């Protein structure tokens, strides 16, 4: 039951030899979502072997370091004879700019590209087992964040109780009970699901803010997310610049992760001024957040387990 995050680009506005511009691949059960698409994203996808099979591109905002990889990636998909439609989800008012960006090289794609402007506080993708919610962020332009939140799963099936205490023979009845149905046994007894199935178990969740100041909407969009991916462009020494440019510091990201009850914090969009290992980011986040925190690196892969995994 895969939920895997691959950081394709973790730099701030300017790429470095170590970090590419913003792009994050999320693989859920083989379904891939690309969050932002900075310059060179398609090369990063090849370099880190994420695959190109993406149906949904979700953009936090339209600054160049988050979208300039789109034209090249779209053309590559065309060269590969892609036929499946591509859905691009973006903040309100983005459609015309994205159409111009994709058409800048006068290249007509052989597959449908559908642009969906999504409003903060709504659901961008409503699937059977999960949804991707949007929330308002605070940057120097219209921007949004995204939260992938899975549905609750059925509780654990108590096989020993079913077989030994209630005398339910193994077979199709077990599956029906686990799915919440009642079953009638050969002796006429009706067994309700809740007699052999424990309480629902939470699914997994991850939150991606894109570029933003710390905002309460990040706390509210998901209940204790398993992974929070938050802007941490600067450390405390540049707190004033973070405020003026619509970004966050590592300490602010840690404080917000603590308020949100996040299990883990991944800090990204690291300014090029921190060319070496940004140890100050980790130290400042750790001072504010008791959970696991780390500065994401290009190519780093993080698996998100179920909350109740033993």
């Amino acid at each position: 039951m895969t939920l895997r995050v691959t950081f394709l680009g973790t730099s701030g506005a300017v790429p470095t030899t170590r970090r590419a511009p913003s792009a994050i691949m999320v693989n859920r059960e083989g379904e891939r979502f690309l969050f932002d698409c900075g310059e060179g994203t398609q090369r990063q996808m090849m370099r880190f072997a994420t695959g190109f099979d993406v149906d949904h591109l979700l953009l936090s905002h339209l600054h160049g370091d988050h979208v300039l990889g789109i034209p090249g990636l779209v053309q590559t998909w065309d060269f590969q004879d892609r036929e499946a439609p591509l859905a691009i989800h973006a903040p309100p008012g983005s459609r015309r700019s994205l159409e111009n960006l994709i058409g800048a090289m006068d290249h007509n794609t052989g597959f449908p590209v559908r642009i969906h402007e999504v409003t903060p506080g709504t659901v961008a993708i409503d699937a059977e087992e999960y949804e991707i919610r949007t929330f308002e962020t605070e940057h120097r332009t219209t921007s949004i964040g995204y939260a992938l939140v899975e549905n609750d799963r059925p509780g654990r099936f108590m096989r020993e109780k079913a077989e030994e205490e209630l005398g339910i023979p193994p077979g199709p009845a077990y599956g029906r009970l686990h799915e919440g149905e009642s079953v009638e046994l050969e002796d006429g007894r009706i067994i309700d699901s809740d007699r052999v199935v424990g309480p629902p178990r939470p699914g997994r969740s991850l939150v991606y803010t894109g570029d933003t100041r710390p905002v309460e909407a990040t706390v509210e969009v998901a209940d204790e997310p398993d992974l929070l991916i938050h802007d941490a462009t600067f450390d405390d020494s540049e707190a004033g610049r973070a405020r003026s440019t619509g970004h966050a510091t590592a300490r602010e990201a840690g404080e917000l992760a603590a308020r949100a009850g996040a299990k883990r914090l991944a800090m990204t969009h690291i300014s090029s001024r921190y060319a070496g290992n940004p140890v100050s980011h980790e130290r400042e986040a750790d001072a504010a957040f008791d959970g696991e925190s780390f500065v994401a690196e290009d190519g780093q892969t993080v698996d998100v387990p179920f909350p109740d995994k033993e």
Side-chain angles (χ1 to χ4, degrees):
M1 300 289 284
T2 304
L3 182 57
R4 179 171 298 137
V5 178
T6 303
F7 294 93
L8 299 175
T10 60
S11 180
V14 178
T16 69
T17 56
R18 178 173 174 172
R19 299 180 185 275
S22 294
I24 295 173
M25 180 75 80
V26 174
N27 182 335
R28 184 195 177 275
E29 305 300 317
E31 187 175 10
R32 295 177 179 87
F33 308 91
L34 182 60
F35 292 85
D36 286 331
C37 186
E39 179 184 354
T41 291
Q42 62 174 323
R43 185 176 183 275
Q44 297 292 83
M45 294 164 75
M46 290 183 277
R47 181 183 179 191
F48 301 123
T50 61
F52 275 74
D53 187 15
V54 174
D55 292 326
H56 296 276
L57 171 57
L58 301 103
L59 303 176
S60 62
H61 63 292
L62 265 59
H63 282 166
D65 57 316
H66 292 254
V67 301
L68 288 179
I70 296 174
L73 181 56
V74 166
Q75 287 195 28
T76 294
W77 275 324
D78 218 20
F79 296 152
Q80 294 174 340
D81 297 322
R82 176 181 177 133
E83 297 180 355
L86 171 68
I88 300 179
H89 309 268
S94 301
R95 183 184 306 276
R96 178 65 62 84
S97 295
L98 286 171
E99 289 173 343
N100 291 340
L101 177 66
I102 295 169
M105 302 304 294
D106 195 27
H107 179 85
N108 295 317
T109 62
F111 59 92
V113 177
R114 298 165 181 161
I115 299 171
H116 305 279
E117 296 184 355
V118 288
T119 304
T122 62
V123 174
I125 301 174
D126 188 2
E128 183 176 349
E129 296 180 341
Y130 67 89
E131 62 184 20
I132 296 184
R133 305 169 183 171
T134 64
F135 60 99
E136 187 172 8
T137 55
E138 182 183 335
H139 195 42
R140 291 174 296 164
T141 186
T142 304
S143 61
I144 56 176
Y146 297 94
L148 190 158
V149 181
E150 293 182 331
N151 299 343
D152 285 347
R153 297 169 292 143
R156 296 188 184 280
F157 184 75
M158 295 176 277
R159 183 186 178 100
E160 183 175 335
K161 181 177 181 180
E163 190 168 357
E164 297 182 8
E165 293 186 27
L166 297 174
I168 306 172
Y174 282 14
R176 291 167 55 196
L177 286 164
H178 200 197
E179 292 300 319
E181 297 181 35
S182 297
V183 299
E184 182 176 359
L185 303 183
E186 291 184 359
D187 60 11
R189 287 181 297 149
I190 303 295
I191 305 297
D192 294 329
S193 173
D194 59 7
R195 295 187 66 183
V196 292
V197 178
R201 295 171 292 166
R204 299 162 293 190
S205 59
L206 66 87
V207 176
Y208 172 59
T209 67
D211 295 5
T212 186
R213 294 289 298 146
V215 294
E216 199 62 24
T218 306
V219 175
E220 298 169 353
V221 72
D223 183 23
E224 299 183 349
D226 297 291
L227 179 64
L228 170 61
I229 306 169
H230 200 285
D231 178 343
T233 306
F234 299 106
D235 64 16
D236 269 355
S237 68
E238 297 288 345
R241 183 167 178 79
R243 286 190 296 271
S244 66
T245 58
H247 291 290
T249 68
R251 184 181 302 277
E252 289 172 327
E255 291 170 346
L256 192 138
R259 295 205 306 276
K263 309 295 193 306
R264 285 190 287 178
L265 167 66
M267 293 175 282
T268 189
H269 202 267
I270 308 302
S271 170
S272 59
R273 69 189 61 210
Y274 307 100
N277 185 24
V279 292
S280 59
H281 282 60
E282 295 177 348
R283 182 175 62 250
E284 292 171 6
D286 286 344
F289 176 54
D290 290 336
E292 177 190 350
S293 63
F294 59 93
V295 174
E297 300 285 344
D298 284 18
Q300 183 174 1
T301 297
V302 175
D303 286 310
V304 181
F306 287 107
D308 60 345
K309 184 177 181 181
E310 300 294 338

